[in-house]
Every structure is written in C-alpha cells, then in structure tokens.
Amino acid sequence: MKKLWKCSVCGYIHEGEDAPEKCPKCDASKDKFVQLSDEDANKVYMSDRTNDIHMEIVNLAARIIALCEEGININLDPPCVEAFKRARNEAWVIKQRSKAEMEGHMKKGKW
C-alpha cells in the first residue's frame, strides 16, 4: 500500500512516498502534511470505489430530476404529470441518501 499524506489545513489527501512540496488544493507547505496510519489509509482505499458509486448515483438522480422537470413542463395530462412529480421526489431522496452516506464516510476519514 502506498503512503497517504493529509493536509492539516484543508484535508486534501496525497498519495506518494513523501508529502508534496505544497498542497495542490490550498498551497500549504509540506510541513502541514501528516502521514496517515496504515489503518486510516486502508479506510481511504477501501471506500474509494463506493464513494465513486455514490457520486454516480447522485449524478444519475440529478439527471432523473431534470427529465422529470421536462415531463412536468410538457404537461401532457394530470396522471403523467403526477408520475413525473413522484419520480422527481423519489430521485431527490435517492440523491440525498447517497450524499448523506458520503458525508458519513468523510466524518470517518474514508475519502
């Protein structure tokens, strides 16, 4: 497993043998980086794919919401509009659920 370094200023995580000379996110100097323990680094690596999946779900849900808005605006008939409204609301819940899960991952150092 490669070494992971965390910027103590902004939380950016760097992968490499050494910390970077400066943080790519906030420009903090190298001395602001701390090496993550093997346990914490493993959390990051283990959650990498699931975080990507959650981000994809958020993006797909946003597309569903946009499509539903288009269907609502077409306003073909009341049952059709109602179906789009329900789907939009359900997609919102799916989107928020994945966002909340990613927040939980970040609070546990899994990002």
Side-chain angles (χ1 to χ4, degrees):
M1 182 172 15
K2 296 180 182 176
K3 294 178 184 176
L4 293 183
W5 303 84
K6 182 177 178 181
C7 177
S8 62
V9 176
C10 72
Y12 175 85
I13 295 181
H14 171 79
E15 180 182 66
E17 286 303 311
D18 294 310
E21 291 303 315
K22 69 177 186 173
C23 180
K25 182 176 182 293
C26 72
D27 290 331
S29 60
K30 183 176 188 169
D31 65 317
K32 297 295 183 186
F33 278 81
V34 293
Q35 185 179 349
L36 295 182
S37 69
D38 287 345
E39 180 181 349
D40 287 342
N42 191 46
K43 287 179 188 177
V44 172
Y45 285 120
M46 293 296 291
S47 63
D48 189 55
R49 180 62 186 139
T50 57
N51 286 338
D52 287 348
I53 292 168
H54 282 297
M55 288 189 303
E56 185 67 22
I57 288 169
V58 168
N59 289 329
L60 290 170
R63 290 244 323 113
I64 291 169
I65 291 167
L67 288 170
C68 290
E69 291 294 336
E70 182 181 354
I72 291 166
N73 290 334
I74 291 171
N75 197 21
L76 179 62
D77 58 49
C80 188
V81 170
E82 184 59 30
F84 286 131
K85 286 180 178 179
R86 286 183 181 176
R88 177 192 60 195
N89 293 342
E90 291 164 1
W92 174 260
V93 171
I94 290 167
K95 182 176 139 182
Q96 294 306 103
R97 187 181 300 126
S98 279
K99 287 166 64 176
E101 185 61 25
M102 286 188 292
E103 180 189 26
H105 285 190
M106 288 188 282
K107 287 180 178 176
K108 295 175 186 173
K110 299 187 292 184
W111 76 89

